[in-house]
Amino acid sequence: MRRVLRFFRNNGLTIAFGTAFLLTLLGQAIAGQAQFNNRLAAEELQQVSFGGYLLTSDFAVDVTENWQSEYLQFFLYIFGTVWLLQRGSPESKKLHKAGLESDEEQKVGAYAQPDSPRWAYAGGIRQAWYSRSLGTVMCTLFLLSWLTQSVAGVAAYNEEQLRGLQPPISWPAYLTSADFWVRTLQNWQSELLAVGSMAIFSVYLRQRGSPESKPVGTAHTTTGIEG
């Protein structure tokens, strides 16, 4: 029992957000099925079961368009904060640390510590990849979810076209359509707004005990210090 409690304490952030994610995904699926069936009923078409709705392109495109924007946010933030700075923000590195930093600062190669990851000791392509692995994975997940959104999106779009007795369109044609870019850009702008707001708000505002905030008594001009 003590081991289980320790596991939950040590992984509370991941467990809490993972559970919340699954609950909200379930809620989206339930609400989405109701909305989808209301639309089918209005068109005097046969309604779908909950399991059937989970396999529809309508559900897939709604989910993946949110996922791709979230992974884009983190990809841009991870790579952007290597070079871009914000004076006074805990979300920024210290003003003199813009760039990739030295091997000593990053504890790689000859400067690796006894408990450093194995590839921090390695040289060549392994260290180069591992040094950029977080951003690379986020970028890959963004591209894959965006690709999935486009495939599910054209299927959902063509279902609407066929129900309205309109001709379907090809996947390349859908990539240039207003439907695809409205779905995409409405998510991108909200993620960029959130990141930019956090960077500047954290200069002047505080949240006691949070690592996303500076300590309450820290000067507004202090940069790269987390509470």
Side-chain angles (χ1 to χ4, degrees):
M1 183 62 179
R2 189 175 301 172
R3 184 177 298 176
V4 173
L5 292 175
R6 187 184 304 117
F7 174 81
F8 276 91
R9 183 199 65 189
N10 293 345
N11 299 279
L13 193 60
T14 300
I15 292 171
F17 277 90
T19 302
F21 161 72
L22 293 176
L23 290 174
T24 54
L25 184 62
L26 175 62
Q28 178 186 349
I30 293 171
Q33 182 207 10
Q35 182 186 54
F36 188 70
N37 279 335
N38 287 340
R39 197 159 65 238
L40 292 178
E43 298 173 7
E44 300 182 350
L45 297 173
Q46 182 177 359
Q47 299 188 351
V48 299
S49 66
F50 183 72
Y53 175 70
L54 295 182
L55 299 177
T56 64
S57 56
D58 188 87
F59 178 67
V61 70
D62 285 345
V63 170
T64 54
E65 75 177 55
N66 289 318
W67 289 6
Q68 59 89 5
S69 64
E70 297 298 334
Y71 283 122
L72 174 67
Q73 174 193 143
F74 284 109
F75 161 62
L76 292 178
Y77 193 67
I78 289 165
F79 274 103
T81 50
V82 173
W83 301 97
L84 302 177
L85 307 170
Q86 175 58 58
R87 184 172 183 262
S89 177
E91 302 296 315
S92 167
K93 296 194 293 186
K94 292 181 182 295
L95 299 180
H96 65 281
K97 286 193 171 184
L100 299 178
E101 303 180 12
S102 67
D103 286 356
E104 183 176 7
E105 290 173 310
Q106 288 293 307
K107 300 179 181 179
V108 296
Y111 300 99
Q113 306 296 304
D115 58 350
S116 295
R118 183 183 304 174
W119 281 20
Y121 289 94
I125 191 170
R126 286 187 298 169
Q127 186 191 107
W129 181 86
Y130 188 68
S131 298
R132 297 162 179 81
S133 57
L134 181 59
T136 301
V137 168
M138 289 295 181
C139 181
T140 301
L141 290 172
F142 158 64
L143 293 174
L144 288 175
S145 55
W146 197 21
L147 173 63
T148 305
Q149 176 204 332
S150 70
V151 173
V154 70
Y157 182 82
N158 282 335
E159 286 178 9
E160 292 285 345
Q161 289 287 96
L162 292 172
R163 286 204 294 267
L165 302 180
Q166 298 295 316
I169 64 174
S170 66
W171 180 66
Y174 180 70
L175 295 182
T176 62
S177 71
D179 184 83
F180 176 69
W181 285 105
V182 166
R183 286 181 176 275
T184 296
L185 294 175
Q186 70 180 359
N187 285 287
W188 287 8
Q189 55 87 15
S190 64
E191 302 303 332
L192 295 171
L193 174 64
V195 171
S197 299
M198 182 62 183
I200 191 62
F201 288 168
S202 61
V203 175
Y204 302 103
L205 305 177
R206 307 285 189 271
Q207 181 59 55
R208 186 168 183 161
S210 174
E212 299 303 314
S213 167
K214 294 184 288 189
V216 177
T218 303
H220 292 328
T221 54
T222 302
T223 306
I225 299 295
E226 296 180 344

